[in-house]
């Protein structure tokens, strides 16, 4: 069946902070200039916010610019940070670092503890009121190109394709959405963004992107233990001194606590399981008392861009641009990216509007965007912390000290003393050592009270995929997991996936290993696409609407 098409001035892929901010800004500029500009946003989640997962403590700087009266309009930023604490953990104890010793960049006062999913739902309402068309449940599966190579738009995935690759009785062809400009706001490690970076050489001259995996739970805790506005971060146990990462605990309203753990994906031990490290962390004597007597409400996981300034690719290409986490604007030491994602979306909108208002037919390169973001506070936000992540190659403690010194010098207006920029080196998938050279890790069994197993966790992420569809997790070479990864690394996919998607099964005699992909469990974190040592796993979009359905995450 031939695909139908729809024409827009601007097509936005992804209803996250950057995509929605871009759509809102376009409509604001159009209204101010009395011009009619059509904008649509497509979102692969079943609803706006369904796939949004973040800590999150949000810096409102971009929101103040985009919608200055957001308080009057009811934006769900209800919990200002009132207490900011940072701890170093050992297995049995903790040491709080006095706030006076922390770089002012790390200060969270003036920021808000939020559900980023709910913020996006609110942003979507603001966008629709301005005339933006938003289509959740439709996954962008293909980039469309003109004959001259410029981006024409995207096509959504076909619905109703069976596991055998043949149409079923519920088959519906995808829709083509054509735009004069297409903005890709897919988030971290977007599969179309990967294609565009390769096709247009957008990563030429920049460092490899670096990543972490963030695993999060939402809890309802005893009101006597709840401290609305409390922000708690930690480093140290259960990770060793050579493995980067840390934790967060944010006390929202209504006795809810967002608790999570981040492991940098350049870890070296193939036996490490980020999910199990998180479960161990919750048993720490500083943390467990907060959760005892509480109830776990939701669970999720998501990759995080950590490369910072050195890893940001060129944003613009003929016919569109990358914005937000599709390009990678997270400030790692602040554990914040939403403000930069929103601002880059706004800047792309301004560049596109300028061309459209001038009568452009589109499909050209938004030349103004690159200079605009480098003139903006986004660049300064990343520039000040550019050497923090690379310093961690010296180990957690020395690296943290060097990164802290770098931030202090910038805060004291002495950044010229550290005028150089360190580089990241190899990508994360090259960091594993062979299993024969690594120490096995004995993780404790889940108690079902504070710590849990993966399958019960996936259950409360409300993850669901249509079972009769081809796996969206594609192996470039199906022989690699058993023939190479298993003998070399004890097949690390069994452990780095936080959702139990990948298994190695054997017969009753413990022989004949087989690699099994439980695609139904996938929470769309993208860790497999990033960490697989041979880059043999390619994450693609499943049918629209599939995946997690995060409430209040």
């Amino acid at each position: 069946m031939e695909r139908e098409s729809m024409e827009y001035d601007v097509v936005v892929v992804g209803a996250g902070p950057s995509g929605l901010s871009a759509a809102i800004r376009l409509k604001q500029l159009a209204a101010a200039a009395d011009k009619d500009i059509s904008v649509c946003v497509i979102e692969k989640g079943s609803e706006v916010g369904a796939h949004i997962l973040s800590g999150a403590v949000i810096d409102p700087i971009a929101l103040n610019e985009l919608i200055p009266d957001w308080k009057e309009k009811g934006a769900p930023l209800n919990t200002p940070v009132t207490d900011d604490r940072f701890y170093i953990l050992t297995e049995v104890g903790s040491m709080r670092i006095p706030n006076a010793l922390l770089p002012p960049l790390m200060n969270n006062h003036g920021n808000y503890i939020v559900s980023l999913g709910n913020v996006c739902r609110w942003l979507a309402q603001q966008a629709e009121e301005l005339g933006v068309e938003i289509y959740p449940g439709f996954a962008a599966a293909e980039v469309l190109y003109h004959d001259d190579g410029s981006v024409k738009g995207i096509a959504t995935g076909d619905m109703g394709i069976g596991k055998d690759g043949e149409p079923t009785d519920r088959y519906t062809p995808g829709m083509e959405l054509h735009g004069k400009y297409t903005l890709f706001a897919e988030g971290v490690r977007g599969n179309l963004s990967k294609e565009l970076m390769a096709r247009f050489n957008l990563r030429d001259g920049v460092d490899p992107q670096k990543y972490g995996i963030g695993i999060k739970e939402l809890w309802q805790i005893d009101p006597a233990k709840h401290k609305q506005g409390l922000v708690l971060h930690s480093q140290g146990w259960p990770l060793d001194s050579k493995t980067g990462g840390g934790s967060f605990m944010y006390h929202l309203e209504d006795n809810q606590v967002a608790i999570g753990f981040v492991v940098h994906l350049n870890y070296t031990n193939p036996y490490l399981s980020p999910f199990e490290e998180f479960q161990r962390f919750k048993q720490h004597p500083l943390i467990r008392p907060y959760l005892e007597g509480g109830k776990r409400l939701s669970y999720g996981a998501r990759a995080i861009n950590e490369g910072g300034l050195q890893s940001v690719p060129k944003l613009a290409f003929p016919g569109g641009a990358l914005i937000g986490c599709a390009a990678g604007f997270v400030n790692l030491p602040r554990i914040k990216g939403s403000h930069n994602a929103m601002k880059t979306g706004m800047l792309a909108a301004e560049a596109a509007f300028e061309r459209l208002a001038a009568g452009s037919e589109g499909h050209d390169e938004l030349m103004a965007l690159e200079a605009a973001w480098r003139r903006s506070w986004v660049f300064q936000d990343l520039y000040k912390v550019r050497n923090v992540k690379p310093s961690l190659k010296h180990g957690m403690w020395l690296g943290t000290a060097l990164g802290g010194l770098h931030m202090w010098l910038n805060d004291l207006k002495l950044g010229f003393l550290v005028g150089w920029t360190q580089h990241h080196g190899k990508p994360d998938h090259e960091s594993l050592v062979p299993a024969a050279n690594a120490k096995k890790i004995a993780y404790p069994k889940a108690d079902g009270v504070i710590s849990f197993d993966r399958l019960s966790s996936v259950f409360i992420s409300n993850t669901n995929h249509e079972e009769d569809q081809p796996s969206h997790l594609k192996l470039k070479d199906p022989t690699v997991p058993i023939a190479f990864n298993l003998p070399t690394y004890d097949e690390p996919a069994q452990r780095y996936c936080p959702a139990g998607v990948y298994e190695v099964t054997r017969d009753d005699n413990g022989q004949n290993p087989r690699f099994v992909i439980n695609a139904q469990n996938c929470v769309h974190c993208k860790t497999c696409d990033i960490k697989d040592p041979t880059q043999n796993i390619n994450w693609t979009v499943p049918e629209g609407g599939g995946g997690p359905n995060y409430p209040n995450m």
Side-chain angles (χ1 to χ4, degrees), residues 258-274:
I259 183 167
F261 201 77
V262 176
V263 177
H264 300 178
L265 286 177
N266 62 352
Y267 68 81
T268 60
N269 188 340
Y271 292 112
L272 186 145
S273 165

Side-chain angles (χ1 to χ4, degrees), residues 305-483:
N305 290 308
E306 295 186 343
L309 188 67
Q310 299 92 314
S311 300
V312 176
K314 182 182 177 185
L315 303 185
F317 46 82
L322 305 177
I323 57 177
C325 285
F329 290 98
V330 170
N331 182 314
L332 177 61
R334 295 184 73 196
I335 324 180
K336 289 178 180 59
S338 298
H339 62 305
N340 289 339
M342 293 177 68
K343 181 63 173 178
T344 57
M346 294 158 63
L347 291 171
E350 290 163 5
F353 177 79
E354 181 182 10
R355 297 293 300 135
L356 292 169
S360 170
E361 291 300 313
H363 315 305
D364 56 330
E365 190 169 321
L366 297 173
M367 302 294 292
L369 177 57
E370 194 71 22
W373 92 260
R374 291 184 178 276
R375 286 194 307 265
S376 74
W377 49 256
V378 175
F379 181 88
Q380 292 302 318
D381 189 61
L382 297 183
Y383 183 81
K384 291 177 181 178
V385 301
R386 69 194 183 282
N387 288 332
V388 173
K389 171 73 174 182
S391 294
L392 294 175
K393 66 186 177 185
H394 301 294
M396 175 62 73
W397 305 123
L398 178 58
T400 298
L402 291 172
L405 176 62
H406 180 93
M407 287 190 286
W408 262 113
L409 290 172
N410 277 286
D411 277 319
L412 295 171
K413 311 299 182 185
L414 298 173
F416 61 88
L417 295 175
V418 284
W420 60 88
T421 298
Q422 298 183 61
H423 293 281
H424 293 307
K426 61 188 179 184
D428 293 336
H429 69 268
E430 295 181 3
S431 63
L432 289 178
V433 301
N437 301 335
K439 181 180 179 181
K440 290 188 176 182
I441 303 174
Y443 289 111
K445 186 177 180 181
D447 62 16
V449 178
I450 302 298
S451 57
F452 302 89
D453 61 31
R454 290 184 223 209
L455 294 185
S456 67
S457 299
V458 172
F459 179 78
I460 62 169
S461 71
N462 303 307
T463 294
N464 186 60
H465 297 86
E466 173 61 47
E467 291 191 22
D468 188 17
Q469 65 173 303
S471 173
H472 64 283
L473 303 162
K474 312 290 188 183
L475 298 181
K476 298 174 185 176
D477 182 347
T479 69
V480 164
I482 299 303

Side-chain angles (χ1 to χ4, degrees), residues 522-543:
C522 179
V523 295
H524 298 200
C525 74
K526 312 290 182 68
T527 303
C528 56
D529 194 293
I530 296 164
K531 189 61 177 173
D532 183 77
T534 62
Q535 292 294 272
N536 189 49
I537 300 174
N538 187 34
W539 194 99
T540 65
V541 290
E543 281 193 7

Side-chain angles (χ1 to χ4, degrees), residues 230-296:
L230 171 63
V231 164
L232 187 155
H233 292 105
S234 78
Q235 279 183 285
W237 190 88
L239 300 177
D240 62 34
S241 62
K242 296 180 180 179
T243 304
S247 78
F248 62 86
M249 179 189 288
Y250 303 149
H251 288 237
L252 299 98
E253 60 270 26
D254 301 325
N255 301 315
Q256 292 188 352
V257 165
I259 183 167
F261 201 77
V262 176
V263 177
H264 300 178
L265 286 177
N266 62 352
Y267 68 81
T268 60
N269 188 340
Y271 292 112
L272 186 145
S273 165
F275 175 87
E276 298 294 352
E277 297 293 340
F278 176 38
Q279 302 308 313
R280 283 208 296 179
F281 158 74
K282 290 185 293 176
Q283 299 286 5
H284 190 274
L286 177 69
I287 304 302
R288 183 182 174 101
Y290 282 106
L291 304 179
E292 287 177 328
K295 179 183 179 181
R296 191 174 66 145

